[in-house]
Amino acid sequence: MVDLAVCDRCGLCLPLCPPAAIHLALSDLLVDRQTCTGCRKCVAPCPVGALAMVDA
Amino acid sequence: MPDVDLLVVGAGPAGAVAAAQAKRAAPELDVVLLERDRAVGAPVRCAEGVGDAGLREFANPDGAPWVARKISRVIFIAPDDSEVRVAERDVGWILDRTRFDAHLAAEAVAAGAELLVGTEASGMTRTPDGRWHVAVRGLRGASTYRAKVVIGADGVEAMVGRWAGLDTRVPARDMESCAQYVVQGIDFDPDAIYLQFGDAVAPGGYAWIFPKGVGIANVGLGLVALKSDGRNARQYLDAWMDRRYPNGARTGYTVGGVIVHTTVQQTYADGLLVAGDAAHMINPLSGGGIVNAMKAGRLAGCTVAAAIRAGDTSARRLAAYHHAWMELLGQDHVKYYRIKRALESVDDAFFNALARTVNAIPAERRTLGRIFAHALVQHPQLIPVAARFFI
């Protein structure tokens, strides 16, 4: 999930996501939960810690 | 459905120069330049440093309103806080990107391109008539542009390339996570940029102080998250700030990613090119990408203009852009990347020892070349890398 209060919409996480499950749309960051494989590659690199895995 | 010859996605340095260049090379073309943000150049996601010679190929910085500060020195700071001043002349400039990017975009408009701010591309498909249909939405509502060629200059997120089937993914070890404050009321040499290395400061990257004026600077860092102790870039930066400038006023804040890799394997497809950060054209050793983006934009604009005039916008024709880029800078980046990987094996003790050795050289004779030579003497395992680099 994305903490939108913390997320700066910088786009860093998009090229890290193997299945391209993260989208920046009209400056909102969206994670497609159908496509996300839970690989966590986006979590640590987020400069502000806005990304976290949650159990569905 | 608006019908255009060239649609450029992203009005940063790569996109703005590409649009201007295409229009200058072929004035009859309809060129549209899209910018998602409501203002070109904002928010700034950049330390704003640029080399003198590269910048002058595109714009004259002397007295320009988009320059913040001229830089004439580089000061390296070892992990133990010892400083090494390097004598160089005309090192470079710290830009005001809000004004610089707007200046480049205005040049594209002056050349005849149409600029749409607050407008983003949200997807695209290739149609049987050999055009791209690009879904666009923004201040004027939603529409679909039909374009002969699309240039993806959409920065680190690089979605245009992905939509066209190019592989623009980045391995985590080649992504620098960056955070930066604009800080006021601090004491430093306003004619120098400072770079500090060290595992406790910025593992896998470095921290920087880039002056925007006397007492005002971009203070930031980039790190590789795989090497971090669990803290994110902002937390590392807060710790560094608290130690160096506890009383500085943090008047601005930004974060972002810098891809320190080599150019994507393929920067072209039928009716499509990618340029700048979107094509991973950043110097993987320094993390600098502004001049590279402008050089790629210039190549892309020229290539596309000639291709449209010739009535052939196939991947085969547009591949000329890729080859020209690789010859211009792409091959150098492959070498820089090897050095970057080799430097990953050196530790804080190496940088501390190097600082002591280099400081024994008289200040006026301390050039980057001599520093590199001393580094090789101290760390012979770097020699194979250096040999490949200089051959």
Side-chain angles (χ1 to χ4, degrees), chain A residues 6-28 30 41 43-50, chain B residues 36-37 45 120 137-138 156-157 159 162 168-172 175-179 225 232-235 253-259 280:
Chain A
V6 176
C7 172
D8 199 44
R9 284 81 168 162
C10 75
L12 178 152
C13 51
L14 273 71
L16 294 174
C17 180
I22 311 174
H23 303 275
L24 256 179
L26 287 173
S27 299
D28 262 337
L30 308 166
K41 284 181 178 160
V43 174
C46 176
V48 292
Chain B
R36 181 177 59 208
D37 288 310
R45 295 197 190 277
E120 70 175 355
R137 58 190 169 186
V156 62
E157 63 211 62
M159 288 312 294
R162 266 200 183 188
T168 60
R169 290 172 300 173
V170 178
M175 177 65 83
E176 293 274 341
S177 300
C178 304
N232 59 45
R234 184 184 56 78
Q235 291 165 324
Y253 175 60
T254 190
V255 299
V258 176
I259 297 164
H280 307 176

Side-chain angles (χ1 to χ4, degrees), chain B residues 213-303:
Chain B
V214 175
I216 309 170
N218 290 329
V219 180
L221 58 77
L223 57 81
V224 175
L226 292 178
K227 294 170 178 274
S228 96
D229 60 11
R231 288 177 294 161
N232 59 45
R234 184 184 56 78
Q235 291 165 324
Y236 271 91
L237 177 59
D238 283 340
W240 198 59
M241 280 286 301
D242 289 345
R243 193 164 65 78
R244 287 193 74 97
Y245 298 117
N247 299 318
R250 302 172 193 186
T251 59
Y253 175 60
T254 190
V255 299
V258 176
I259 297 164
V260 282
H261 199 245
T262 53
T263 304
V264 295
Q265 286 296 311
Q266 192 176 321
T267 58
Y268 58 93
D270 284 326
L272 180 120
L273 295 177
V274 290
D277 287 13
H280 307 176
M281 290 172 171
I282 293 154
N283 179 328
L285 207 49
S286 70
I290 299 169
V291 169
N292 299 353
M294 293 192 289
K295 288 180 175 178
R298 185 170 58 193
L299 287 176
C302 287
T303 307

Side-chain angles (χ1 to χ4, degrees), chain B residues 331-332 334-335 338-339 372 383-391:
Chain B
Q331 302 291 0
D332 287 345
V334 173
K335 296 173 187 170
R338 282 198 208 112
I339 296 176
F372 195 54
I383 286 173
V385 180
R388 273 180 301 189
F389 177 61
F390 288 112
I391 285 168

Side-chain angles (χ1 to χ4, degrees), chain B residues 31-102:
Chain B
V31 178
V32 172
L33 177 59
L34 301 183
E35 173 52 47
R36 181 177 59 208
D37 288 310
R38 288 188 176 84
V40 172
V44 174
R45 295 197 190 277
C46 180
E48 302 179 289
V50 65
D52 181 73
L55 175 61
R56 284 184 190 277
E57 287 187 32
F58 297 90
N60 180 2
D62 300 315
W66 38 260
V67 158
R69 192 80 194 169
K70 184 171 188 192
I71 300 301
S72 48
R73 278 187 286 284
V74 181
I75 298 176
F76 292 99
I77 311 174
D80 65 4
D81 284 348
S82 55
E83 295 189 357
V84 178
R85 288 175 170 256
V86 180
E88 298 278 348
R89 269 171 295 173
D90 299 328
V91 170
W93 303 82
I94 306 302
L95 302 173
D96 176 341
R97 285 289 302 274
T98 59
R99 289 183 169 191
F100 182 69
D101 287 27

